[in-house]
């Protein structure tokens, strides 16, 4: 079974930092872009950041200069370093990849189960 598993969420004070990790596991041949989305209570899910297989990042305007996305292709893992956190960053954070190629030559789109980030004021 191919899946994404996030870790690293928690409670932090405003101005603090957290690092999220997302590891893809299973019979994976390759993964293209990976990214992070978030969903706050009562709001729609929104893009936070994405990164291509070659390492080119893209950020939502609301997190530019504060968040950094990176990946380790050898470990099939993507990270989100979040600095200068604000209460409005409070949300469930989801890892996503639009395309995983499995060793059975199947293409899959995957979402993680989510990890909660709470920023107190």
């Amino acid at each position: 079974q191919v899946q994404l598993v996030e870790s690293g969420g928690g409670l932090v004070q405003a101005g603090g930092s957290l690092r999220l990790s997302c590891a893809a596991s299973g019979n994976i041949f390759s993964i293209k872009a990976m990214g992070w989305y978030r969903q706050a209570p009562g709001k729609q899910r929104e893009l936070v950041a994405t990164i291509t297989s070659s390492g080119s990042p893209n950020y939502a305007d609301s997190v530019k200069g504060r968040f950094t996305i990176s990946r380790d292709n050898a470990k099939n893992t993507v990270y989100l370093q979040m600095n200068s956190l604000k209460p409005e960053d409070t949300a469930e954070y989801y890892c996503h990849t639009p395309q995983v190629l499995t060793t059975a030559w199947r293409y899959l789109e995957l979402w993680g189960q989510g990890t909660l980030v709470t920023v107190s004021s």
Side-chain angles (χ1 to χ4, degrees), residues 30-59:
S30 65
I31 305 177
K32 290 199 171 180
M34 300 184 78
W36 292 93
Y37 288 72
R38 67 186 180 186
Q39 187 167 18
K43 295 188 176 181
Q44 289 189 331
R45 191 171 295 189
E46 64 177 4
L47 173 71
V48 176
T50 61
I51 187 166
T52 67
S53 57
S54 59
S56 296
N58 179 59
Y59 299 97

Side-chain angles (χ1 to χ4, degrees), residues 18-118:
L18 281 175
R19 189 191 195 209
L20 305 183
S21 299
C22 171
S25 63
N27 297 322
I28 297 168
F29 182 78
S30 65
I31 305 177
K32 290 199 171 180
M34 300 184 78
W36 292 93
Y37 288 72
R38 67 186 180 186
Q39 187 167 18
K43 295 188 176 181
Q44 289 189 331
R45 191 171 295 189
E46 64 177 4
L47 173 71
V48 176
T50 61
I51 187 166
T52 67
S53 57
S54 59
S56 296
N58 179 59
Y59 299 97
D61 288 343
S62 58
V63 305
K64 279 181 182 177
R66 300 188 298 122
F67 291 11
T68 301
I69 189 170
S70 61
R71 66 189 286 173
D72 184 335
N73 290 335
K75 296 181 179 180
N76 288 329
T77 300
V78 63
Y79 306 96
L80 187 68
Q81 178 66 42
M82 305 185 293
N83 299 329
S84 302
L85 282 160
K86 305 175 181 179
E88 50 263 44
D89 294 318
T90 295
E92 191 83 15
Y93 282 71
Y94 297 90
C95 181
H96 173 257
T97 177
Q99 191 176 92
V100 169
L101 177 59
T102 72
T103 55
W105 305 114
R106 292 180 62 197
Y107 287 99
L108 302 174
E109 179 183 12
L110 297 175
W111 288 92
Q113 82 285 355
T115 185
L116 181 62
V117 172
T118 304

